[in-house]
Amino acid sequence: MRIKTKGQGQELAMLLPALVFITALIVVPFLLSVWFSFTDQRLVPRPIPTKFIGATNYERMFVDPLFWQAIWNTVLFALIVTPVQLGMSLGAALILNSAIPFRSFFRSVAILPLLLPMTVIVSIWAVLFRIPSGPFNAVYQWFAGQGNYVDFLGNPSTAMLSVVALSAWATFPYQMLIYLAGLQDIPQDLYEAAKLDGAKPWQRFRYITWPGLRNVNIFLLIITTVGALKLFTQVDILTKGGPNGATTTIIHYLFKQGYATQKVGYASAVAVFFFLAVTAIALLQRRFLKNEGEA
C-alpha cells in the first residue's frame, strides 16, 4: 500500500511541471479571454473604467459580414490545403522510403523548409509572386507571351490559391517525416508475402500500406486541420487579408480587432469562439475516424 502511494506521489510530482505549464499558458489565458469577452476592455488603459456589457461582443461578432467571410476563408483554406499537404507528404514519404539512388541526400533536401522560419519562407515566395517580373510570371510569360502576367496576390480568384501553394510547400516535410516513420513501422514480411502472391504495387498500397498507416493518418489529419485553421503569418505578410477580404482568416481578423483597433473585449469573444470551434472540430474528427476504423 505504501509503495503504491509513494508511486502515485512520484507520478504527480513528474506531472506537476506539465500541469503548471498548461495552466499558465492555456487555462488561465482562456479564462481571462472568457471574462474579457463580456466587457469593453481596451488594449491601452483609458480614463473610463472597463464595463461589463454582457453578450454585446458576441452579438456584434455574429452580425459582422467580415467575420463570416473570415470564417469561410479559413474553412476553405483548411479544406484545400489539408488534402494537398497530406497527399504531398505521403507521396514524398513513399518515394523516400523506396530504394532510390542517393536516398539519404534527397531526405535531407526534403526537410530543408523545416529549417527556415515561416517569415523567411513567405518573404522568398513574395519575390516569386512578384508582378510582372517575378519567376512565376516569367514562366507564365514563356507560355502566354511577353506582356502577360498573373497578379497572384492581387486577384481575389488567385490570392487564396497562392497562399495554399505556399503553405503546403512550407510545412509538408513535417508530415512527411511522420509518414516515413509510419512506413518503416509496417512489417516488411507483409510486402514480401504479397509479392509472392502476385500483388501489384497498387494492391500492396491499398491492402498493406494504407491500413498500416491508419493511426498516422488520424493523427496527421487532426493536427494538419488544426494548423490550417490557425493560418496567420502567410496572410499577414503577403496580402494583409486582401484583396477585398479574399484571404482574411479568423486569426488575422482577431489580430486586427485586438491590436489594430485595440478592442480587446471584442477580440476575446472571437478568440473564445475560435477556441471552442477548433476543439469541437478536432474531437469530431477523432471520434468519426475512430468509429470508421472500428467499423
Side-chain angles (χ1 to χ4, degrees):
M1 192 69 175
R2 287 182 182 178
I3 296 176
K4 184 177 180 180
T5 304
K6 184 179 179 181
Q8 289 177 343
Q10 291 175 345
E11 291 176 357
L12 290 175
M14 294 176 65
L15 288 174
L16 185 60
L19 292 175
V20 172
F21 181 82
I22 293 173
T23 302
L25 296 184
I26 298 179
V27 177
V28 172
F30 176 72
L31 294 177
L32 287 174
S33 295
V34 173
W35 164 247
F36 288 149
S37 69
F38 293 104
T39 69
D40 61 350
Q41 178 74 33
R42 305 284 293 188
L43 182 63
V44 178
R46 54 182 180 166
I48 303 174
T50 300
K51 295 187 302 182
F52 180 83
I53 58 175
T56 302
N57 287 323
Y58 291 95
E59 294 172 359
R60 178 190 162 199
M61 178 179 68
F62 289 128
V63 298
D64 184 3
L66 186 57
F67 169 77
W68 291 110
Q69 185 176 9
I71 291 289
W72 166 246
N73 290 339
T74 304
V75 172
L76 179 64
F77 175 81
L79 289 175
I80 297 176
V81 79
T82 299
V84 170
Q85 206 169 46
L86 294 182
M88 290 173 57
S89 304
L90 179 57
L94 289 171
I95 294 173
L96 296 178
N97 193 53
S98 60
I100 60 173
F102 307 106
R103 182 172 63 176
S104 298
F105 170 76
F106 287 118
R107 285 183 176 180
S108 301
V109 171
I111 65 172
L112 285 179
L114 289 180
L115 306 179
L116 297 175
M118 181 59 72
T119 52
V120 174
I121 294 175
V122 175
S123 299
I124 294 173
W125 277 69
V127 175
L128 299 178
F129 285 132
R130 186 179 297 166
I131 56 171
S133 59
F136 287 158
N137 270 304
V139 174
Y140 178 77
Q141 291 175 7
W142 193 75
F143 290 99
Q146 293 297 322
N148 297 297
Y149 64 89
V150 178
D151 190 356
F152 291 100
L153 302 177
N155 188 332
S157 62
T158 58
M160 181 58 77
L161 293 178
S162 300
V163 175
V164 167
L166 184 163
S167 303
W169 179 86
T171 55
F172 92 92
Y174 173 73
Q175 288 92 335
M176 182 198 70
L177 290 176
I178 297 178
Y179 269 130
L180 267 175
L183 289 171
Q184 293 172 6
D185 196 46
I186 299 175
Q188 293 300 310
D189 296 345
L190 298 176
Y191 291 105
E192 294 174 1
K195 287 180 181 179
L196 292 176
D197 290 339
K200 297 179 180 180
W202 166 248
Q203 293 173 320
R204 294 197 295 271
F205 174 82
R206 179 180 178 183
Y207 295 107
I208 299 177
T209 304
W210 189 249
L213 293 175
R214 176 180 171 272
N215 291 331
V216 174
N217 282 325
I218 293 174
F219 172 73
L220 286 180
L221 180 59
I222 293 174
I223 66 167
T224 304
T225 302
V226 172
L229 294 173
K230 296 188 296 182
L231 174 68
F232 172 75
T233 304
Q234 300 91 305
V235 168
D236 189 56
I237 296 177
L238 285 179
T239 65
K240 303 297 182 183
N244 298 324
T247 58
T248 297
T249 62
I250 191 65
I251 294 296
H252 193 261
Y253 176 83
L254 188 158
F255 174 81
K256 289 198 298 183
Q257 296 297 327
Y259 290 92
T261 63
Q262 301 186 4
K263 299 174 183 176
V264 173
Y266 180 71
S268 297
V270 178
V272 171
F273 173 85
F274 176 72
F275 178 84
L276 295 177
V278 171
T279 302
I281 290 172
L283 292 175
L284 288 173
Q285 278 187 324
R286 174 60 179 160
R287 182 169 184 178
F288 173 76
L289 293 172
K290 181 180 180 180
N291 292 340
E292 187 181 60
E294 291 176 351

